[in-house]
Each structure stands twice: as structure tokens, then as C-alpha cells.
Amino acid sequence: MNPKFLSQLGLAMRAGKLVTGDEGVFKAIRSGEAKLVIMAEDASANTRKKFQDKCQFYGIKLMEIGTKYELGRSIGKEMRVTIGVLDGGFAQMLQKSQDNPAEVKHIDQ
């Protein structure tokens, strides 16, 4: 798991730009507040299907990354299966950190 991603997720939590839990995330998706939904890779098949369908219907990007424990720990909580990002800037930053996980590239000598 990318430590930069986890750090940025914690920053978004401290800024008050995240919502967690199934009902809170569903409400943010329906209201259009959610800019990105992050779901643990070890989520149940039922949860995975519900969020994939809901995000696809509302046109919200869904990222499946990390475990429930990694996601929860990164935001200072117990395990979390789903996290909704409410700020477009944080959503972009989190997506970008996953697209480019290594900032330092190894140089062959």
C-alpha cells in the first residue's frame, strides 16, 4: 500500500473532507457531494456490488485499494470499508498519488 496515499487520506480526514460508513457514503453519493469513493479490497461481495452500482449510476469514480484495517488506521479510526471524499482537490490528489506511487525513481548505474 502506498504510504503517500495513506498520509494524504489522513490529511483529508483532519481537514474534514471525508465521510465514512455505508450510510454516510451513500448519502454523499446521492446528494452529489462525493467526488471519489474509496473501498477496501477486502470488502464483502455484497458491499462491493452495491457501491460499484451506485457509483456507476451517479458517475463517481470508485477506487478499490488497501484493506479495511489500512484505511481505518490511515484516518485514525477502527477498520473502515468505505470512505467518501467530499473535496475535488483531495480527490484529485489521492487519484494522482495512486497513478504515480513513486516520486523517486531508481537510476541504473
Side-chain angles (χ1 to χ4, degrees), residues 23-73:
E23 287 307 311
V25 176
F26 273 138
K27 184 178 175 186
I29 291 170
R30 281 189 222 107
S31 69
E33 288 180 276
K35 309 299 182 217
L36 171 69
V37 174
I38 300 165
M39 182 171 49
E41 293 171 340
D42 57 351
S44 70
N46 186 34
T47 300
R48 182 168 295 182
K49 172 112 175 76
K50 282 195 298 188
F51 278 94
Q52 286 172 342
D53 292 348
K54 192 68 78 174
C55 287
Q56 184 177 8
F57 181 79
Y58 285 94
I60 297 170
K61 178 140 174 74
L62 174 68
M63 292 176 72
E64 291 185 40
I65 184 167
T67 66
K68 297 178 233 185
Y69 296 103
E70 288 173 326
L71 292 180
R73 195 171 359 152

Side-chain angles (χ1 to χ4, degrees), residues 1 9 28-29 36 41 44-46 48 59 61 64-65 76 78 91-92 94 96-97 101 104-105 107-109:
M1 179 92 186
L9 200 57
I29 291 170
L36 171 69
E41 293 171 340
S44 70
N46 186 34
R48 182 168 295 182
K61 178 140 174 74
E64 291 185 40
I65 184 167
E78 293 285 323
Q92 265 187 329
L94 289 163
K96 207 178 283 188
S97 73
V104 178
K105 305 227 189 261
I107 300 173
D108 294 330
Q109 294 181 352

Side-chain angles (χ1 to χ4, degrees), residues 4-37:
K4 182 178 177 184
F5 178 85
L6 294 174
S7 173
Q8 291 173 342
L9 200 57
L11 180 65
M13 181 66 180
R14 289 188 298 280
K17 302 298 182 184
L18 298 183
V19 64
T20 64
D22 287 2
E23 287 307 311
V25 176
F26 273 138
K27 184 178 175 186
I29 291 170
R30 281 189 222 107
S31 69
E33 288 180 276
K35 309 299 182 217
L36 171 69
V37 174

